[in-house]
Amino acid sequence: MNRNRLSQTLLTGLNKQMTQEALAAQTYLSFAVWAADEGYNGIANFLFRHAGEERTHMMKFLQYIIERGAKPVIEAVPKPQSDPENVQDCFERIFQQEVGNTKGVYKLVKMSFEEEDWATWHFMQWFVQEQTEEEALALHLLDKIKVAGGKDAAAEALYTLDRDLAQLPDEVMLAQSKTTRNT
C-alpha cells in the first residue's frame, strides 16, 4: 500500500529544503569556528547556537516527510564557503544565506497552495514566520556592525558586540517546540 501523501514535486522540494537547512547548519558551524579562532567567543557562541537551530529546522522537514508517508532523501551537503574576511562579511553572508532559505520556503508555500496540499501549506507557515525573524535578526546585527564602523570597526566596538552576543540568553525555544500559536 502506498502511504505517501506528497506529490513528487513537493517531495522533491521538501527534500531540497531539508538539504538547504543542513547546509545552513554547516555554514553557521564553519563561521562559528572562524569566529572562535579570531577570538570572538561571544559571536562564536551565537553562531554555534544558530547551527543547532538550523539542524533542528532540517529535522522538522525530515520528520514531516516521514509523517506524510514518504521517504526523506539524505543528500551530501556541500562544503561551506571560505572563512569570512571580517565580522561584517560574516553577517552579510549569513543574511544572504537566510534570504536563500526564505526563497526556498516561499517556493514550497506556493507549490503547496497550487497543489491544494493544505497540510504542507500549514506546515510551511511556521517557516515563513521563522525566516522573517531570521532575516530581521541578521539585518539587526548588520546595523550594529555598521554603527560600529563596518569593515573598519574598531577593536573596542567589536569587543562590545562580541560581549553582547555572549550575554544573549541560552534559553532559546527549540524549533520543534514552536508552533504558529507558540512562537
Side-chain angles (χ1 to χ4, degrees):
M1 177 172 110
N2 182 6
R3 301 175 330 129
N4 180 12
R5 303 279 294 134
L6 295 167
S7 71
Q8 187 58 50
T9 307
L10 269 174
L11 178 58
T12 299
L14 290 164
N15 274 303
K16 181 178 178 183
Q17 189 65 32
M18 180 179 70
T19 302
Q20 180 60 35
E21 299 291 345
L23 175 59
Q26 290 295 90
T27 300
Y28 273 108
L29 188 64
S30 172
F31 288 4
V33 169
W34 167 82
D37 188 55
E38 293 291 316
Y40 299 121
N41 293 325
I43 293 171
N45 179 51
F46 172 84
L47 295 170
F48 279 130
R49 288 177 31 215
H50 272 76
E53 187 175 320
E54 296 295 336
R55 185 177 183 284
T56 301
H57 295 172
M58 175 199 72
M59 292 301 297
K60 279 183 81 93
F61 279 101
L62 183 137
Q63 290 169 338
Y64 179 76
I65 293 167
I66 290 171
E67 287 170 2
R68 294 300 307 272
K71 182 180 178 186
V73 177
I74 309 301
E75 298 284 344
V77 179
K79 181 180 175 181
Q81 305 170 27
S82 60
D83 286 347
E85 294 177 22
N86 51 55
V87 174
Q88 180 175 338
D89 182 48
C90 176
F91 285 104
E92 284 176 352
R93 288 162 65 179
I94 285 170
F95 174 68
Q96 290 306 318
Q97 173 180 274
E98 293 299 346
V99 168
N101 274 355
T102 300
K103 288 179 182 177
V105 165
Y106 288 177
K107 185 175 182 180
L108 286 167
V109 170
K110 182 178 180 186
M111 287 168 49
S112 63
F113 182 84
E114 289 172 351
E115 292 186 19
E116 297 182 2
D117 182 334
W118 305 123
T120 301
W121 184 88
H122 179 73
F123 170 74
M124 293 306 302
Q125 297 312 299
W126 182 89
F127 286 97
V128 170
Q129 182 174 351
E130 180 69 11
Q131 285 309 120
T132 301
E133 293 169 8
E134 293 290 344
E135 285 185 22
L137 177 59
L139 285 172
H140 174 71
L141 291 170
L142 282 170
D143 285 345
K144 283 184 176 249
I145 293 164
K146 179 182 175 184
V147 168
K151 293 177 184 175
D152 300 320
E156 182 178 324
L158 291 174
Y159 173 81
T160 301
L161 175 66
D162 185 63
R163 185 189 64 215
D164 289 352
L165 289 178
Q167 293 175 352
L168 287 178
D170 276 337
E171 294 103 27
V172 175
M173 183 182 281
L174 296 177
Q176 67 263 28
S177 62
K178 286 188 174 182
T179 66
T180 54
R181 291 181 215 98
N182 175 17
T183 56

